[in-house]
Amino acid sequence: MNNLSGNKKRKNDRVMPAVHNNLSSTSSDEKAILMKDRCILASNGYSVGRKIDSGTFATVRYAEKTTNNGTLPLAVKIIDKSKASPLFTQKFLMRELEIWPRLRHRHIVQVERMFQIQDRIYVFMELAPGGSVIEYVQR
């Protein structure tokens, strides 16, 4: 496991009900990978729940960070680098992962922490309860 960002505590940590680790809408290959990674993530206080959305090489799921004050609801973007082209991974993805955690603006979802486990990058971020940007534009 490679920790790609520092663990930063935010002022607005909220206590929310637990996220259930519901993997029923997941392929069997993805379930096996998530089960292997779950132990590593749990040792750092993170749990991964049901799928919110997915794209060509990434899936977004509900997640939680367990703290002394309860649980912090998060989203986690799970990026599978093996499904992305090398050009995309080297030029765009690495730049995004370097810049995104440093951005601070009320309209930009904040990154909580990042991990790399083999070909997968887990980006734990604020949960945006209003839905995705695409859903917002379509409304």
Side-chain angles (χ1 to χ4, degrees):
M1 177 187 73
N2 182 16
N3 182 5
L4 298 175
S5 69
N7 188 9
K8 299 173 188 164
K9 187 157 177 135
R10 295 192 316 255
K11 300 184 246 186
N12 298 330
D13 286 356
R14 297 169 290 198
V15 177
M16 296 288 280
V19 171
H20 301 287
N21 291 322
N22 178 1
L23 302 178
S24 61
S25 64
T26 307
S27 72
S28 59
D29 290 343
E30 192 177 0
K31 280 182 191 177
I33 290 168
L34 284 173
M35 296 305 276
K36 289 177 185 177
D37 295 355
R38 182 178 285 173
C39 292
I40 296 168
L41 298 171
S43 69
N44 285 280
Y46 292 92
S47 62
V48 177
R50 68 179 173 88
K51 182 164 54 172
I52 297 172
D53 204 357
S54 63
T56 305
F57 52 86
T59 302
V60 178
R61 294 181 164 275
Y62 286 102
E64 283 185 337
K65 167 75 171 152
T66 303
T67 67
N68 292 335
N69 298 327
T71 55
L72 175 64
L74 298 169
V76 59
K77 183 177 186 178
I78 305 167
I79 303 163
D80 189 341
K81 292 187 345 181
S82 68
K83 294 181 180 177
S85 73
L87 180 64
F88 174 83
T89 301
Q90 293 167 1
K91 286 201 160 230
F92 178 75
L93 182 61
M94 291 302 127
R95 186 172 53 217
E96 177 184 355
L97 295 176
E98 181 183 328
I99 294 169
W100 190 9
R102 293 187 278 156
L103 297 175
R104 297 284 179 259
H105 191 277
R106 65 184 183 163
H107 296 300
I108 297 175
V109 171
Q110 298 297 295
V111 172
E112 165 79 18
R113 193 162 178 192
M114 291 188 240
F115 298 96
Q116 181 169 348
I117 303 172
Q118 296 178 357
D119 282 343
R120 291 168 306 284
I121 298 173
Y122 290 80
V123 182
F124 288 89
M125 64 190 90
E126 279 183 286
L127 177 63
S132 70
V133 173
I134 301 265
E135 291 169 339
Y136 179 79
V137 170
Q138 290 174 343
R139 281 186 229 145

